[in-house]
Amino acid sequence: MNVGFIGLGTMGKPMALHLHKAGYPLTLFNRNRAKAQGFEGGASVRIAETPYEVAQSADIVFTMLTDDAAVEEVYFGEQGIAAACSAASGGRPRIVVDCSTIYPETSKKNRRPRLLRGGHAGRPGNRQ
C-alpha cells in the first residue's frame, strides 16, 4: 500500500515518521520543503511538488494541516487532491483521511462525494 502524507508540521511529521518506520512507501508534501528533513535518503520516500502528485501516487492520503484555508487549498486548489480523484486522472486515491485542525463545517464540506469524485467520503467514526 502506497501512503501519501500532506502536512509535516508539529503533529504531521511524527505521524509520517511512524508510517515510514513501519515500512510504508511514502509520498510527502509540505508547503515548506525544509520540514521534510529526516525523510531524505530513504528509497521508500518521495517528496512531491504538489498535493496532486501525492494523491496520484497513493492508495491512501493523510492530511494534517493548520487551518481551513490550508485544507481548502490542498483539497480543492488547482493542483489539489480533488483533481487527482477525478475519473480522468485514474481516480486515486481511494481513501483520504483528514486529521487537520479545522471547523466541523469545513470537514462536512470536504466529505461530499461529488467534490472528491469517486473516493469514499464517510463520517468520522462511521464505518459505512
Side-chain angles (χ1 to χ4, degrees), residues 104-125:
E105 294 79 18
T106 303
S107 183
K108 289 175 187 173
K109 176 183 168 186
N110 291 349
R111 75 168 193 237
R112 293 181 192 158
R114 69 178 181 81
L115 294 177
L116 291 178
R117 297 181 196 99
H120 180 71
R123 296 181 184 161

Side-chain angles (χ1 to χ4, degrees), residues 4 13 21 30-31 37 40 54 64 67 71 78 90-91 93 95 97 121:
K13 187 170 185 174
K21 288 176 184 174
N30 198 79
R31 291 174 289 177
Q37 290 178 338
E40 297 94 346
V54 173
M64 177 59 83
D67 57 31
V71 169
E78 189 174 310
I95 300 171
V97 180

Side-chain angles (χ1 to χ4, degrees), residues 24-44:
Y24 289 98
L26 290 176
T27 303
L28 307 172
F29 174 80
N30 198 79
R31 291 174 289 177
N32 177 352
R33 288 184 64 96
K35 295 210 174 179
Q37 290 178 338
F39 292 98
E40 297 94 346
S44 64

Side-chain angles (χ1 to χ4, degrees), residues 37-52:
Q37 290 178 338
F39 292 98
E40 297 94 346
S44 64
V45 177
R46 186 171 75 82
I47 310 300
E49 296 292 325
T50 66
Y52 181 94

Side-chain angles (χ1 to χ4, degrees), residues 44-88:
S44 64
V45 177
R46 186 171 75 82
I47 310 300
E49 296 292 325
T50 66
Y52 181 94
E53 269 185 63
V54 173
Q56 278 289 288
S57 67
D59 300 303
I60 182 170
V61 173
F62 290 90
T63 58
M64 177 59 83
L65 303 162
T66 57
D67 57 31
D68 294 62
V71 169
E72 188 73 24
E73 179 62 28
V74 164
Y75 278 77
F76 304 109
E78 189 174 310
Q79 292 292 311
I81 294 170
C85 291
S86 73

